[in-house]
Amino acid sequence: MKTDLVEIFQTIRASVQPYATRGYTVHENSETGYDLYSEKNIQYDDIKVTERFFMGLYINGSEVELKLNSKDFTFKNQALVSFGDDKLGLKISELDEAKLKEIETLVEILHIHFKENEWI
């Protein structure tokens, strides 16, 4: 069980970094933040979209926050919290293998959704 925020952040970041080679662009990669965006130009409801938030990971106070794009997509997980601005996710203060697997599954579900909608 990991309880050090830096260690939690680095472990989760390592598990999501491969998405940077799957069509996403890193916008922030620092000691306290990591996020990925799709930069595929698409037309969406008569609006041209040039970038779309995919996911972000941030050390914030006494927790690591995993934020996922929830616009046009509903996650069926009661443990998710709203961060506003069409972002849902998790606040993490402890990390074990089960929690890491849950995080990896959520990110993969979102990735599949992005692929199905041709956003990447």
Side-chain angles (χ1 to χ4, degrees), residues 6-110:
V6 173
E7 189 176 2
I8 291 169
F9 173 81
Q10 290 175 345
T11 301
I12 298 170
R13 179 174 62 183
S15 76
V16 298
Q17 279 181 323
Y19 287 93
T21 65
R22 297 172 77 180
Y24 301 97
T25 302
V26 176
H27 277 213
E28 179 181 355
N29 187 9
S30 69
E31 295 300 316
T32 59
Y34 182 80
D35 54 33
L36 296 169
Y37 283 75
S38 165
E39 293 186 342
K40 183 175 181 181
N41 294 328
I42 58 171
Q43 192 75 23
Y44 181 74
D45 290 340
D46 298 327
I47 299 170
K48 185 175 182 176
V49 177
T50 59
E51 69 178 19
R52 180 182 301 267
F53 177 79
F54 173 62
M55 62 79 54
L57 184 66
Y58 312 96
I59 295 176
N60 189 4
S62 62
E63 299 170 313
V64 174
E65 296 177 344
L66 171 70
K67 296 181 181 182
L68 305 167
N69 180 323
S70 64
K71 186 173 181 161
D72 304 318
F73 190 61
T74 303
F75 287 94
K76 303 288 192 242
N77 183 322
Q78 308 311 324
L80 297 179
V81 296
S82 174
F83 291 104
D85 298 327
D86 296 318
K87 293 179 180 74
L88 292 174
L90 299 168
K91 293 184 177 187
I92 306 153
S93 57
E94 297 179 345
L95 184 68
D96 59 15
E97 286 300 317
K99 179 61 83 177
L100 182 59
K101 184 66 176 162
E102 177 185 3
I103 291 165
E104 290 170 346
T105 300
L106 286 170
V107 173
E108 183 61 22
I109 290 168
L110 184 58

